[in-house]
Structures are given as structure tokens and as C-alpha cells.
Amino acid sequence: MKSFAHFILILIVAYVAGMVLPWWSVALVAFLVTLLMPLSPGKSFFSAFLSIFVLWMMLAFYMDVRNDHILANRMSEMILKVRSAPLMGVISAFLGALVAGFGATTAAFLRAAKKPA
């Protein structure tokens, strides 16, 4: 249950932060949420990873449909040499999710290092 609350909180705060902050704010959000709601390093990584992956996939799909797949198709042709708009969404969501997962794992290890032995 704690992992689900962690997942939802990262998803919501990252969405709001993404409106005013740069793309890498997902790492800050995951870091701060994990400091407030401690989980093990593995659980914190996967919770943050999945929440940002889901968020960025939904946002990429929404933006892609709004411009009739023109931008994503052109970017995928230029970068990947393949015309695949969904693949661009998956790759960008994966990269953002990795950044968030590493931010959350950093906070989990920081909390673990502070515990007395």
C-alpha cells in the first residue's frame, strides 16, 4: 500500500512540477517524495520508474495525437531511421523513468546511510 501511495504521489507532483520546471525535475520530485515516504532502494526505484514511465507515456500519446503524429514521425525518422511515433514515446518515457528511478534510489540510499548501525 505504501508503494502505491509513493507511485501516485510521484505521478501527481511530477505532473504539476513539469508545468513550471524543466524535464529533469522528475528526479527532484522522486528524490523528495522518497525522503518523505521511505521505501527500500529497490521498491523506490521501481515505484518512481513506473510512475514517470506511465506519466510520460500518457503525455507523449496526448501530444502525439494532438499534432496528428507529425512531429514524432519526423523525429523518429531523423534519430532512429525508422518511422515509428510510438517508439519515440517509449524511448523518451524510458529515459525519463530512469532519471526518476535513480533520483528515488539516491534518496533511499541516503536514508539508509543515516541509520545508526
Side-chain angles (χ1 to χ4, degrees):
M1 188 63 178
K2 196 172 184 182
S3 295
F4 184 71
H6 190 261
F7 171 85
I8 293 296
L9 190 59
I10 289 175
L11 188 109
I12 292 169
V13 175
Y15 177 73
V16 172
M19 292 182 187
V20 293
L21 296 173
W23 69 269
W24 48 264
S25 64
V26 296
L28 297 174
V29 168
F31 182 85
L32 293 174
V33 169
T34 304
L35 279 180
L36 295 174
M37 298 179 66
L39 291 175
S40 69
K43 286 183 181 179
S44 65
F45 177 84
F46 286 114
S47 177
F49 183 90
L50 287 176
S51 67
I52 298 303
F53 188 83
V54 167
L55 175 66
W56 281 23
M57 277 300 293
M58 289 187 320
L59 291 173
F61 178 73
Y62 175 70
M63 286 187 264
D64 195 36
V65 168
R66 283 183 55 202
N67 72 13
D68 201 27
H69 314 287
I70 294 170
L71 180 62
N73 280 330
R74 287 186 182 170
M75 284 177 54
S76 68
E77 284 177 357
M78 185 172 63
I79 296 170
L80 305 172
K81 308 295 186 216
V82 176
R83 187 179 176 103
S84 176
L87 184 59
M88 284 303 295
V90 169
I91 289 172
S92 64
F94 182 77
L95 291 174
L98 276 178
V99 169
F102 291 146
T105 304
T106 302
F109 280 127
L110 186 67
R111 285 188 65 92
K114 286 186 177 181
K115 289 183 183 176

